[in-house]
Amino acid sequence: MKKVFVKSYGCQMNVYDAERMADVLSGEGFSETTAPEDADLVILNTCHIREKAAEKVYSELGRVREIKEDRARHGLETRIVVAGCVAQAEGAEITRRAPAV
């Protein structure tokens, strides 16, 4: 079974959205994990309203990129997704600064 790790930043709505993402993905064969190192899919669900939200996301993307690279060395694929309002506001910048996404 594939595993998904979802981390939410910011508002209460993002917590709800993250729960819905996990529910939808369970129907696609994913089980939720609390360890990003075990995840085939890592979702960072973001909120732009909180102070320094975008920089927190970029910092986390650096850590997740390292996990993705380590898993790749073991023949495991990891996909990274950025969702939420930071993704909406910074989409092109995210792909420029973090091509692993």
Side-chain angles (χ1 to χ4, degrees):
M1 180 173 266
K2 299 175 283 186
K3 294 184 180 179
V4 61
F5 172 81
V6 183
K7 181 171 184 176
S8 284
Y9 298 84
C11 66
Q12 281 300 107
M13 192 62 177
N14 274 13
V15 173
Y16 172 78
D17 289 346
E19 291 170 357
R20 290 289 302 133
M21 288 178 202
D23 287 345
V24 168
L25 287 167
S26 71
E28 298 297 320
F30 284 87
S31 65
E32 199 167 2
T33 181
T34 58
E37 299 82 10
D38 296 334
D40 302 291
L41 174 61
V42 174
I43 301 174
L44 304 181
N45 190 30
T46 63
C47 179
H48 209 308
I49 300 203
R50 302 291 185 190
E51 187 177 339
K52 300 180 183 174
E55 289 310 312
K56 288 179 183 176
V57 170
Y58 290 118
S59 177
E60 185 70 16
L61 283 171
R63 288 188 286 276
V64 175
R65 178 187 47 80
E66 290 175 5
I67 291 169
K68 179 177 181 167
E69 290 170 355
D70 185 54
R71 285 176 48 90
R73 284 191 287 277
H74 293 91
L76 300 170
E77 182 180 12
T78 307
R79 293 183 184 258
I80 303 170
V81 173
V82 180
C85 36
V86 170
Q88 290 174 337
E90 308 245 343
E93 183 67 5
I94 289 170
T95 55
R96 185 187 73 75
R97 286 179 61 180
V101 173

